[in-house]
Amino acid sequence: AVVLFGSVLEAAIIDRLRSNPEWTMRGKEIPRRRGGGQRDIQSEERDDEWTLFDMLKFCSANGVLAVGADTALGHFVRTPRNSIHPRASVRLSAPIGEIGAKASKATVDQTLDDLARSKFPPALPAA
């Protein structure tokens, strides 16, 4: 369930950011390619891919989500989601129980509600 919540959140955020790519590409905290340069939100190329963490960090820095949302959402969605890989779950010792799943669902519900109610695009923060 937690993996699905993270996927829903990721899809909603990428859809929002791609709805106005010109605004998105002028924002702060745009992830960088390995060789340098900004990753393009519209591109399907692997080198341009924005991770869930990249999107959360961008949204938090640019007023799409509340400041600090990247940290809070990472805790409830990204960390358990990453633990599905067998080696990671052993390393993290992070079993996902009913309470964790409910907390992830509540966090995603609140974030989706925030995205639906927010004016987009917000004014970009001053440089």
Side-chain angles (χ1 to χ4, degrees):
V2 175
V3 174
L4 186 57
F5 297 145
S7 296
V8 168
L9 180 63
E10 190 169 9
I13 292 172
I14 194 113
D15 183 61
R16 177 59 64 99
L17 297 179
R18 284 182 170 179
S19 73
N20 193 329
E22 296 80 18
W23 176 87
T24 300
M25 296 307 297
R26 289 192 321 264
K28 291 182 177 180
E29 299 293 338
I30 295 174
R32 313 287 295 174
R33 291 184 187 123
R34 289 183 190 185
Q38 295 179 330
R39 293 183 183 170
D40 183 355
I41 192 71
Q42 291 290 90
S43 175
E44 296 296 331
E45 296 296 320
R46 181 91 168 130
D47 198 36
D48 282 319
E49 183 175 271
W50 290 39
T51 65
L52 178 57
F53 178 74
D54 292 333
M55 289 184 278
L56 292 173
K57 188 173 178 182
F58 175 88
C59 288
S60 184
N62 291 287
V64 178
L65 297 173
V67 173
D70 53 328
T71 303
L73 290 170
H75 177 72
F76 283 108
V77 177
R78 188 172 42 107
T79 302
R81 191 174 168 217
N82 289 345
S83 72
I84 65 167
H85 303 289
R87 288 185 188 158
S89 62
V90 169
R91 186 177 66 246
L92 295 172
S93 299
I96 301 166
E98 182 179 352
I99 293 171
K102 286 180 179 179
S104 293
K105 182 184 182 307
T107 303
V108 170
D109 286 346
Q110 180 63 52
T111 304
L112 293 175
D113 198 43
D114 290 348
L115 283 172
R117 286 186 284 137
S118 68
K119 177 181 177 252
F120 189 82
L124 287 171

